[in-house]
Amino acid sequence: MGCCYSTAMGCCYSFCKEDSGPQSGEVSERTHLLVDPVSNTTNILHVHSDDYVNHYASSVPKKTDEQSALNRILHETAANVIDIGALDSHNLEQHEYMDRSKAYSKRIETVGVKVPDISSCLLTDIPAPERILSTEPLPSADRQLIKDMLDKAVSALGDVKVEHKEDLVVPFLS
Amino acid sequence: MERNLEKTMDDVINTEGVIGCILADHQGLCLGAKGKASGDSAGLIAAIADQAAKLEPGSKSPIIYLQNDTRQCLIHRQGPVVAAIYKQVSS
């Protein structure tokens, strides 16, 4: 099959060559508008069809080389790409989290590294919030206390006046 | 003069469980502080009262009640005055 094909191609090439050969000087309907790159490479055109078959046969393993090269590129690309969708999402369970936290803090203790405490927060965490959350939101006594205090404070603030005692401007030389 | 303000704070301090109190004006400037309370907190307290009031605009000014294991802090604004009372948690 390959043999027939290559022979036909060889004929075709030789035909073209013979055809275009004598007319190379003048312009006709058969003149190539573009310079044929193949006909410029003299090597192939002057090759005999048998030689061409050999040449073609020797180029067959090259084709598999190309295929394997493509495969190699494909594999390399696949190896370099991190497919996030295919990764298993590893969610830490609560006890796992605690275990790790314990392990890490133990390790830090043994090494003796002091982790700097950079959090200077106005509100701090409390160990057992349930006790505080379960208590009454605001005792009525406390509410009354602060309301009374503010009532008095507002009226007391209204009493604050500037008392005129002495002149602000004092003549130095009199 | 400010004698009434002083008396108001003294009365509160003498209430059982109260360990300190602060009065601040509408700008957060300290009007007075008694007991275990610093006048430096006046600005913070006024800011807390203002921010908490923004949670429900249009309603009456809230009483903010902060609490930890040992102490409680009540913050409230009335007109131009913001007050804070610190209390010891009775256990």
Side-chain angles (χ1 to χ4, degrees):
Chain A
M1 181 73 183
C3 200
C4 289
Y5 177 65
S6 59
T7 315
M9 279 222 357
C11 289
C12 184
Y13 274 124
S14 56
F15 171 71
C16 284
K17 172 68 185 169
E18 281 166 15
D19 193 49
S20 63
Q23 293 178 350
S24 55
E26 50 194 279
V27 179
S28 74
E29 76 273 12
R30 297 216 171 179
T31 311
H32 295 290
L33 291 175
L34 296 175
V35 179
D36 192 355
V38 180
S39 62
N40 283 342
T41 56
T42 53
N43 221 1
I44 297 171
L45 284 175
H46 293 298
V47 135
H48 193 262
S49 62
D50 287 345
D51 290 345
Y52 192 78
V53 169
N54 289 338
H55 183 72
Y56 185 73
S58 68
S59 76
V60 169
K62 257 190 189 165
K63 193 138 202 191
T64 56
D65 278 356
E66 197 179 332
Q67 192 64 39
S68 68
L70 283 174
N71 276 333
R72 208 182 61 241
I73 291 170
L74 189 68
H75 282 301
E76 276 175 13
T77 311
N80 288 333
V81 167
I82 300 169
D83 188 359
I84 293 172
L87 289 176
D88 265 350
S89 59
H90 185 67
N91 288 328
L92 281 180
E93 294 290 324
Q94 181 67 24
H95 63 89
E96 242 179 310
Y97 175 79
M98 298 292 276
D99 287 348
R100 284 193 187 192
S101 165
K102 268 182 201 163
Y104 293 156
S105 52
K106 207 176 246 179
R107 180 65 74 85
I108 286 170
E109 267 179 31
T110 53
V111 172
V113 178
K114 197 175 188 319
V115 180
D117 186 20
I118 51 165
S119 64
S120 64
C121 195
L122 185 68
L123 303 172
T124 52
D125 210 359
I126 53 167
E130 294 84 5
R131 191 165 54 82
I132 288 167
L133 290 174
S134 62
T135 55
E136 198 186 343
L138 178 63
S140 57
D142 287 349
R143 177 203 291 266
Q144 203 54 48
L145 180 70
I146 197 160
K147 279 198 173 293
D148 286 350
M149 181 194 184
L150 272 165
D151 284 340
K152 284 183 195 166
V154 169
S155 64
L157 196 65
D159 293 341
V160 173
K161 290 189 188 78
V162 176
E163 282 180 13
H164 177 75
K165 283 185 175 171
E166 57 190 49
D167 288 339
L168 284 174
V169 180
V170 182
F172 284 114
L173 302 167
S174 59
Chain B
M1 281 301 289
E2 71 271 13
R3 204 178 300 119
N4 283 338
L5 273 181
E6 298 276 344
K7 189 178 177 302
T8 306
M9 286 191 284
D10 282 335
D11 287 348
V12 171
I13 275 289
N14 291 328
T15 313
E16 195 186 333
V18 175
I19 55 169
C21 67
I22 302 178
L23 286 172
D25 74 352
H26 65 286
Q27 286 179 307
L29 299 173
C30 185
L31 295 172
K34 294 262 175 182
K36 279 179 108 176
S38 164
D40 296 344
S41 313
L44 269 178
I45 284 157
I48 289 171
D50 286 347
Q51 295 299 323
K54 286 179 189 167
L55 290 174
E56 280 185 42
S59 50
K60 285 198 294 182
S61 75
I63 297 175
I64 299 113
Y65 188 50
L66 304 171
Q67 182 170 353
N68 71 2
D69 276 347
T70 55
R71 286 211 250 168
Q72 299 165 338
C73 177
L74 288 140
I75 301 171
H76 188 39
R77 173 191 283 278
Q78 184 174 316
V81 185
V82 183
I85 297 175
Y86 297 97
K87 289 184 78 182
Q88 196 83 44
V89 172
S90 52
S91 54

